[in-house]
Amino acid sequence: MFVDYAKKGITEKILKNKKQENKQLKNYLNDKRAITELESITTHYLKAYVRVK
C-alpha cells in the first residue's frame, strides 16, 4: 500500500499527518456536533471545524 502512495510522491510522514487530522476531525464531529454518520456531515460542519483549527 505505501508503495502505491510513494509512487504518487506521498511520504509516510504525510500519511501519518493525514491520519491524525482525520482523527481530530472525527473527534470534533462526534464530540462537538454529535455526528456519527458520514451522510450527516455538511459543509457547514466542515467550515466550523476549519474555523476552530
Side-chain angles (χ1 to χ4, degrees), residues 9-25:
I10 300 172
T11 66
E12 200 167 331
K13 183 177 179 181
I14 291 172
L15 289 175
K16 182 179 177 182
N17 290 342
K18 292 296 181 187
K19 183 177 178 181
Q20 181 64 27
E21 183 64 36
N22 288 339
K23 183 178 177 181
Q24 290 175 2
L25 174 59

Side-chain angles (χ1 to χ4, degrees), residues 34-52:
I35 294 175
T36 58
E37 297 296 322
L38 185 62
E39 293 82 14
S40 301
I41 301 172
T42 65
T43 56
H44 172 76
Y45 295 132
L46 295 175
K47 288 178 182 178
Y49 172 72
V50 169
R51 283 192 300 270
V52 168

